[in-house]
Amino acid sequence: LYGTNSYPSITKLNYLSNEESTGYQNSFSLSVIQPLLKNFFGKLDRYPKKRARLAEKIQKIYFTEDQEKKKYNAINLYLNWLFLVRQEKILTEIVSNNKRVLYQTNRKFKSGIADRADLEAARGNVYYYENQLIKVKYDLKEILNEMNIFMTINADDEPDFSLLEKKYKLAQKNNVKNLRSYQMVHLTQKQIHLDLNAAKNKRFPNLDLILKYQLSGSSDTFGKSYKELGTYEAYAGFQFSLPLGNSDVKGQLKTIRANRKKNNLEIQKTFEKIEKNQKNLSYYFEQQLKMIEKQSQYVGALRRKLASQNKKYRQGNLVFSEVIRTMNDLANARLDITNRLVIYQQIYFQYLELNDLLL
């Protein structure tokens, strides 16, 4: 602590001459108070600044993480839109094909070639896939409403279907300790460590070294009183105080230690969760690609099987229920492969987001 003191206009009365005389006394002083235990070298004073720096780092990381999350959500929303538009097209084609089969079966039924069971099977297929189409249209409308919050998309706009044909290679996974989600909990632990050290320091008694040096002077004129600062005083001493009980600090320490234990568990859980997700996504990515290839082969086999069955049915060598069953298998396989293609894309972008590679 630094300070200067000035005592101007000290008036003295001359009783013999009944005259007044005016004197001036001024002084400059330098005082230093240095804590020796509690707040040694301003440790507690620097604490808020250090904590604020950590909070700023956490906030920057959180902002970047939030931006990446928003980008991933937008991509995921786009892929869902792509999926539903593709499903709508496939289902529209399936309904059209089933209506054609129903029309042909109805003609055969009226001609006595097909029985009522064949007719009802064909009609049931139309109803089933029409119901599926209605549900997809409803989901598609909901997706468009959600997307129109961020961008303008018309009902007749179409996504880029070529995305479903893209094949990706996963990038090398990042070290978990370098990822933003881990860094945030780690920086929070540093904040808790600062809180703990500050609380521990507050337990110490107040022991302060006090040093003071003062120059003083006096004169009958104001200007001379500053020039004649010839008297000096020096003082050194200690000041000691100890709060009784100090229950507030003890309570703070218990709370901070509990928070540290909780955050340690959070760090461990975050580390294990990220590692697990990295492994799982890598595995699912490769497996999904294999299933897409197998499903594509399955769709091709069903197409060939259906063509053969139609020929046998027209020749009267196969019951219509077998044809209907294969038609259903083919329709479901086509819908399933679209679903797997979209899941494959979603896994890829989720992997990028997990490893901080999406921005």
Side-chain angles (χ1 to χ4, degrees), residues 18-253:
N18 291 327
E19 295 178 354
E20 290 186 353
S21 64
T22 303
Y24 296 88
Q25 182 176 350
N26 287 286
S27 67
F28 291 96
S29 64
L30 171 65
S31 299
V32 177
I33 300 177
Q34 173 60 54
L36 299 178
L37 292 175
K38 182 179 179 180
N39 199 24
F40 182 62
F41 277 107
K43 183 175 183 178
L44 292 176
D45 298 330
R46 293 192 300 272
Y47 155 73
K49 190 174 182 181
K50 288 181 178 179
R51 202 179 195 286
R53 286 199 195 105
L54 290 173
E56 185 180 8
K57 287 181 180 179
I58 292 172
Q59 187 61 34
K60 286 181 179 179
I61 293 172
Y62 176 81
F63 176 78
T64 305
E65 189 76 357
D66 185 61
Q67 292 296 109
E68 187 175 50
K69 180 67 69 176
K70 286 179 180 177
K71 184 175 180 180
Y72 170 74
N73 289 338
I75 292 172
N76 203 43
L77 194 62
Y78 184 90
L79 289 172
N80 286 333
W81 176 46
L82 187 154
F83 167 71
L84 289 171
V85 173
R86 182 68 172 262
Q87 295 292 76
E88 183 187 34
K89 286 182 176 295
I90 294 173
L91 281 167
T92 300
E93 182 185 339
I94 291 170
V95 169
S96 178
N97 290 338
N98 276 279
K99 282 183 176 180
R100 178 175 51 81
V101 171
L102 175 60
Y103 174 76
Q104 293 172 350
T105 306
N106 189 43
R107 288 183 60 186
K108 291 179 180 180
F109 173 73
K110 289 178 179 179
S111 302
I113 301 174
D115 58 24
R116 180 164 292 277
D118 293 344
L119 179 62
E120 294 306 323
R123 183 177 286 117
N125 256 21
V126 172
Y127 292 157
Y128 175 78
Y129 288 108
E130 279 183 336
N131 187 55
Q132 294 289 95
L133 182 57
I134 290 171
K135 184 179 183 305
V136 167
K137 285 180 180 292
Y138 175 81
D139 292 342
L140 183 57
K141 186 177 180 181
E142 283 198 330
I143 284 287
L144 287 174
N145 289 338
E146 190 175 351
M147 292 182 73
N148 278 321
I149 297 174
F150 309 102
M151 63 190 79
T152 301
I153 298 179
N154 299 317
D156 56 346
D157 288 340
E158 289 190 348
D160 183 6
F161 293 110
S162 66
L163 287 174
L164 296 178
E165 310 303 323
K166 283 192 174 183
K167 297 294 185 292
Y168 300 101
K169 184 178 180 181
L170 291 183
Q172 182 69 31
K173 66 180 181 180
N174 277 333
N175 187 301
V176 174
K177 292 184 178 180
N178 294 331
L179 297 178
R180 288 189 294 267
S181 53
Y182 181 85
Q183 288 175 357
M184 281 195 291
V185 291
H186 184 66
L187 287 172
T188 301
Q189 185 71 347
K190 286 187 175 182
Q191 282 186 320
I192 294 173
H193 184 69
L194 277 177
D195 294 342
L196 185 61
N197 285 341
K200 285 180 178 179
N201 189 264
K202 288 178 183 178
R203 292 185 307 177
F204 295 142
N206 290 309
L207 177 61
D208 301 330
L209 171 64
I210 302 174
L211 301 174
K212 183 176 181 180
Y213 182 80
Q214 178 173 300
L215 283 173
S216 60
S218 61
S219 180
D220 56 353
T221 62
F222 182 76
K224 286 183 179 181
S225 68
Y226 281 98
K227 292 180 180 179
E228 297 180 7
L229 296 174
T231 303
Y232 70 88
E233 293 180 22
Y235 169 81
F238 295 93
Q239 178 176 285
F240 179 84
S241 66
L242 176 64
L244 294 177
N246 215 1
S247 56
D248 288 345
V249 174
K250 290 178 180 178
Q252 288 178 18
L253 280 169

Side-chain angles (χ1 to χ4, degrees), residues 298-338:
Y298 179 56
V299 168
L302 286 174
R303 290 185 189 278
R304 293 189 294 271
K305 179 181 179 181
L306 182 60
S308 175
Q309 286 182 337
N310 279 329
K311 184 177 179 180
K312 289 181 180 180
Y313 174 69
R314 288 193 295 268
Q315 295 171 349
N317 297 325
L318 188 70
V319 295
F320 188 64
S321 59
E322 291 296 321
V323 177
I324 289 293
R325 186 180 296 113
T326 304
M327 286 177 62
N328 290 341
D329 289 344
L330 178 58
N332 292 330
R334 291 180 64 196
L335 294 171
D336 181 72
I337 196 170
T338 303

